[in-house]
Amino acid sequence: MAALASYRAFLRVAAGMDTAARSAAIAQARSELSFFRDVVDQGEIARLVDAFDGKIAFLRMSTPKRRSTQRQRGATRTVYKSDGTTAHVATSRDKAAYQNWDGANMDPDSVARHNHSLRRMGFRDNAHAKGYF
């Protein structure tokens, strides 16, 4: 059962390989896994499956991701034209603008908005925390 799950994982990884390398890798995996049929010792089966999982891990590192698994940047919009046809237009999402503000160099607008929110919520000053001196 574990060998079957490992084989399925191997096939998912092998789908990202080019055709020639994929067919050679699948043939090699089938020959290795056919050897598992003759093994009856559970410890030996676990060792062989772990070795096969190590090969899958190496393939995951060395095989580029498939295009379908890479995330799409932006969104696809459907544009309805006046003649009744539709078109799917891909829009790219812009990166967030670089901000020069951090804890040591605070944004004055952010500070003003923060102070306004504090006053609106009833935090006028910190006299209650300081006590009477």
Side-chain angles (χ1 to χ4, degrees):
M1 229 30 203
L4 182 61
S6 294
Y7 182 67
R8 287 179 181 157
F10 169 77
L11 289 179
R12 283 191 297 272
V13 172
M17 301 168 78
D18 61 342
T19 308
R22 181 184 329 135
S23 60
I26 289 175
Q28 181 182 2
R30 284 183 181 163
S31 68
E32 286 182 25
L33 292 177
S34 65
F35 175 72
F36 288 7
R37 292 181 193 155
D38 300 331
V39 179
V40 292
D41 181 30
Q42 293 297 324
E44 183 68 15
I45 290 174
R47 189 189 65 74
L48 291 171
V49 169
D50 285 342
F52 189 69
D53 286 342
K55 291 180 182 181
I56 294 171
F58 176 76
L59 282 177
R60 280 193 181 116
M61 289 186 288
S62 61
T63 305
K65 290 190 174 202
R66 292 185 295 179
R67 289 184 184 171
S68 63
T69 61
Q70 292 176 348
R71 296 190 179 215
Q72 176 185 353
R73 302 267 185 217
T76 302
R77 310 261 186 230
T78 303
V79 178
Y80 297 96
K81 298 181 180 178
S82 59
D83 61 352
T85 60
T86 60
H88 299 287
V89 180
T91 59
S92 64
R93 183 175 27 190
D94 294 333
K95 287 186 173 181
Y98 175 77
Q99 292 186 353
N100 192 26
W101 311 109
D102 59 9
N105 182 20
M106 297 177 68
D107 180 12
D109 295 329
S110 241
V111 172
R113 186 175 29 218
H114 173 72
N115 288 334
H116 174 73
S117 295
L118 286 177
R119 283 192 305 275
R120 183 172 47 92
M121 290 183 278
F123 297 99
R124 302 289 178 214
D125 56 15
N126 64 346
H128 70 283
K130 288 193 284 187
Y132 299 103
F133 296 107

